[in-house]
């Protein structure tokens, strides 16, 4: 199936900017939508012409006709100041309802980087901020040198899971990737392995600069992700799946949601998706923008059968990284990967902080099983220190990572 023709857009935006002089007069974007107690609830990012950004709330019975809360915004820079936290901007929310409370993770500008804050609410409108914000900051690795943007959160088997955007400091043009992080309580977070991307930008042109601001649906067996891809000019929406939340595979027909034609309200961008699955129907709220319109929020839908077709259209197991042997090792280790067809791959070794240690192979390989030897040396031929390293195999369809333990 051709993914980008299967999402049916609603003909007009479903949420627009506020009146002149209002807190969201400059546009709205970045929706986070959930269905709870018979209503659709949306928290969204808005801004004014003074450069101030805040988070608003709206509700709907059908997901199409929305009513903004009369006392918006629900979260602003002033709220953070009153809790003893100094930030310059706030927005891009991610909200779930769990154990009788609404939980929100949001993005804030803690100059010079972005970080993630946390708060809870009984009604979704009055929020109590965590007193030790921010709860997620850059680890200092190359992958996160520009900071962190909040992503979707799911509570699975006793743990909070977040897929966040890791920004790379890059003057002139934003770059970034998607990473995964875990928490038992919602405010103490740690990586399940290392802080390297689970979904990386490229190699396709449409998402070659950045992937980020995503939405994840989990049916208990398969993780599905809709994510923003950026090519330095336009933001579009792509699709990926994973069986284990580690090896994500991008759809061969990406992007699945494109910008509209010139002068249409989403003629410049179609991105920042929020997707839920209800009664066999996938529902997406997304951000749109054009040169003739301020940022607004739109709606699109896709049937369950279409989504299943998208999953089937993905080329499975084009590249598979197998366990290395011996592991741990003290002199050399054999790294095995298997290809189902001729494909371009990159095999590299990274430190736990995301620094490149050595690129082992980069190029086209024929189908079959391949074995690459690493003798524990960096790109200059110098012996590395004992410790844990990450071996990453990157192909056009996915990125896979295994741990290697080097013992001298």
């Amino acid at each position: 199936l051709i993914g980008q023709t299967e999402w049916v857009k609603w003909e007009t935006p479903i949420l627009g900017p506020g009146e002149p002089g209002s807190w969201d007069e400059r546009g709205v974007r970045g929706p986070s939508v959930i269905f709870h107690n018979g209503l659709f609830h949306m928290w969204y990012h808005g801004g004014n012409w003074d450069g101030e950004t805040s988070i608003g709330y709206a509700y709907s019975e059908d997901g199409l006709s929305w009513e903004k809360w009369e006392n918006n915004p629900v979260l602003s820079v002033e709220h953070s100041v009153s809790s003893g936290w100094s930030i310059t901007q706030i927005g891009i929310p991610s909200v779930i309802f769990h154990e009788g409370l609404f939980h929100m993770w949001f993005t804030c500008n803690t100059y010079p980087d972005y970080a993630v804050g946390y708060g809870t609410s009984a009604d979704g409108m009055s929020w109590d901020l965590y007193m030790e914000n921010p709860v997620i900051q850059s680890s200092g690795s190359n992958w996160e040198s520009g900071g962190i943007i909040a992503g979707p959160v799911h509570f699975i088997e006793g743990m909070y899971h977040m897929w966040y955007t890791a920004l790379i400091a890059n003057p002139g043009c934003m770059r970034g990737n998607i990473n995964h992080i875990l928490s038992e309580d919602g405010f103490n977070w740690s990586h399940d392995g290392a802080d390297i991307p689970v979904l990386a930008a490229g190699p396709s042109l449409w998402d070659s600069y950045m992937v980020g601001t995503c939405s994840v649906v989990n049916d208990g067996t398969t993780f599905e992700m809709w994510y923003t891809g950026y090519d330095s000019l336009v933001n579009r929406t792509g699709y990926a799946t994973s069986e284990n939340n580690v090896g994500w595979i991008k759809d061969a027909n990406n992007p699945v949601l494109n910008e509209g034609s010139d002068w249409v309200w989403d003629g410049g961008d179609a991105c920042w998706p929020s997707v839920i699955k209800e009664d066999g129907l996938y529902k997406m709220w997304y951000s749109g923008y054009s040169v003739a319109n301020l940022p607004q929020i739109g709606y699109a839908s896709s049937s369950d059968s279409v989504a299943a077709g998208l999953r089937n259209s993905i080329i499975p197991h084009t590249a598979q990284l197998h366990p290395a042997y011996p592991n741990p090792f003290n002199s050399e280790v054999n790294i095995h990967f298997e290809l189902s067809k001729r494909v371009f791959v990159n095999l590299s070794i990274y430190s736990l902080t995301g620094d490149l240690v050595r690129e082992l192979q980069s190029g086209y390989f024929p189908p079959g099983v391949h074995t690459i030897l690493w003798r524990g040396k960096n790109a200059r031929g110098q012996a590395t220190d004992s410790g844990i390293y990450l071996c990453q195999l990157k192909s056009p369809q996915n990125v896979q990572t295994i741990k290697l333990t080097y013992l001298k």
Side-chain angles (χ1 to χ4, degrees):
L1 294 176
I2 306 301
Q4 57 263 41
T5 65
E6 302 299 344
W7 280 94
V8 180
K9 292 181 180 179
W10 192 247
E11 59 269 25
T12 57
I14 52 87
L15 197 74
E19 296 295 325
S22 64
W23 72 276
D24 58 353
E25 62 178 346
R26 195 175 180 178
V28 295
R29 58 177 66 191
S32 177
V33 179
I34 66 173
F35 186 77
H36 174 69
N37 279 351
L39 285 176
F40 291 94
H41 304 260
M42 178 193 295
W43 294 265
Y44 61 94
H45 172 114
N48 61 26
W49 290 106
D50 292 329
E52 299 170 336
T53 61
S54 304
I55 294 172
Y57 167 74
Y59 56 92
S60 171
E61 293 184 355
D62 58 8
L64 297 173
S65 299
W66 291 85
E67 186 75 23
K68 292 182 179 179
W69 187 46
E70 59 183 3
N71 293 320
N72 273 331
V74 298
L75 211 55
S76 65
V77 171
E78 285 72 21
H79 289 90
S80 68
V81 171
S82 65
S83 66
W85 184 25
S86 178
I87 60 176
T88 57
Q89 290 182 317
I90 190 170
I92 316 180
S94 175
V95 180
I96 66 171
F97 186 83
H98 178 63
E99 293 184 341
L101 287 174
F102 293 96
H103 301 253
M104 180 193 292
W105 295 264
F106 54 88
T107 306
C108 47
N109 190 333
T110 56
Y111 185 82
D113 297 327
Y114 291 93
V116 175
Y118 171 67
T120 58
S121 172
D123 59 9
M125 292 164 281
S126 299
W127 290 87
D128 296 319
L129 296 186
Y130 182 57
M131 294 305 295
E132 296 184 26
N133 274 321
V135 296
I136 308 175
Q137 300 183 81
S138 169
S139 64
S141 70
N142 291 340
W143 303 108
E144 301 175 355
S145 56
I148 302 294
I149 292 179
V153 175
H154 286 253
F155 189 79
I156 304 171
E157 296 180 349
M159 298 290 289
Y160 293 94
H161 295 247
M162 178 189 290
W163 294 264
Y164 66 88
T165 303
L167 298 176
I168 300 173
N170 183 61
C173 188
M174 189 74 75
R175 291 182 180 269
N177 304 283
I178 294 173
N179 205 352
H180 176 251
I181 198 168
L182 293 168
S183 174
E184 293 183 353
D185 51 26
F187 45 86
N188 292 300
W189 293 85
S190 62
H191 293 91
D192 53 336
D195 55 338
I196 63 172
V198 296
L199 193 75
S204 299
L205 181 62
W206 80 275
D207 64 353
S208 56
Y209 273 68
M210 178 177 177
V211 295
T213 48
C214 65
S215 183
V216 173
V217 171
N218 174 32
D219 64 4
T221 58
T222 301
F223 290 88
E224 298 178 89
M225 177 189 291
W226 292 264
Y227 63 94
T228 299
Y230 181 55
D231 63 0
S232 82
L233 294 173
V234 179
N235 289 289
R236 303 177 177 92
T237 298
Y239 175 73
T241 62
S242 175
E243 298 299 326
N244 55 11
N245 190 31
V246 177
W248 285 88
I249 303 174
K250 294 181 178 180
D251 178 36
N253 296 307
N254 273 331
V256 297
L257 194 74
N258 281 292
E259 74 277 20
S261 57
D262 291 343
W263 305 108
V264 175
W265 75 273
D266 63 352
D269 281 330
C271 57
W272 292 15
S274 179
V275 179
I276 65 175
K277 184 179 180 182
E278 184 190 38
D279 298 329
L281 188 69
Y282 288 84
K283 300 180 178 183
M284 177 192 294
W285 294 265
Y286 68 96
S287 303
Y289 168 80
S290 74
V291 294
N293 295 276
L294 294 172
Q296 302 178 79
I297 294 173
Y299 171 80
S301 62
S302 176
S303 69
D304 192 9
S305 59
V306 168
L310 281 172
R311 290 194 292 267
N312 293 335
S313 73
I314 296 173
I315 302 170
H317 306 302
T318 300
Q320 182 66 46
L321 183 60
H322 295 299
Y325 181 82
N327 192 20
F329 70 101
N330 61 13
S331 59
E332 59 185 34
V333 59
N334 292 290
I335 301 168
H336 311 282
F337 63 91
E338 185 175 1
L339 305 177
S340 61
K341 67 175 185 179
R342 184 176 183 269
V343 69
F344 186 93
V345 299
N346 178 278
L347 185 70
S348 297
I349 304 296
Y350 293 89
S351 69
L352 282 177
T353 59
D355 296 317
L356 178 65
V357 175
R358 182 165 189 164
E359 181 181 78
L360 299 179
Q361 294 289 334
S362 185
Y364 283 93
F365 282 77
V369 177
H370 303 272
T371 300
I372 305 298
L373 188 68
W374 183 48
R375 292 189 170 91
K377 296 183 179 181
N378 62 23
R380 296 184 296 274
Q382 302 168 331
T384 57
D385 296 330
S386 297
I388 298 176
Y389 293 85
L390 302 168
C391 177
Q392 184 179 90
L393 179 70
K394 181 185 292 187
S395 74
Q397 279 71 41
N398 63 355
V399 178
Q400 299 171 70
T401 304
I402 59 173
K403 290 183 181 180
L404 304 175
T405 302
Y406 184 25
L407 301 176
K408 289 186 178 181

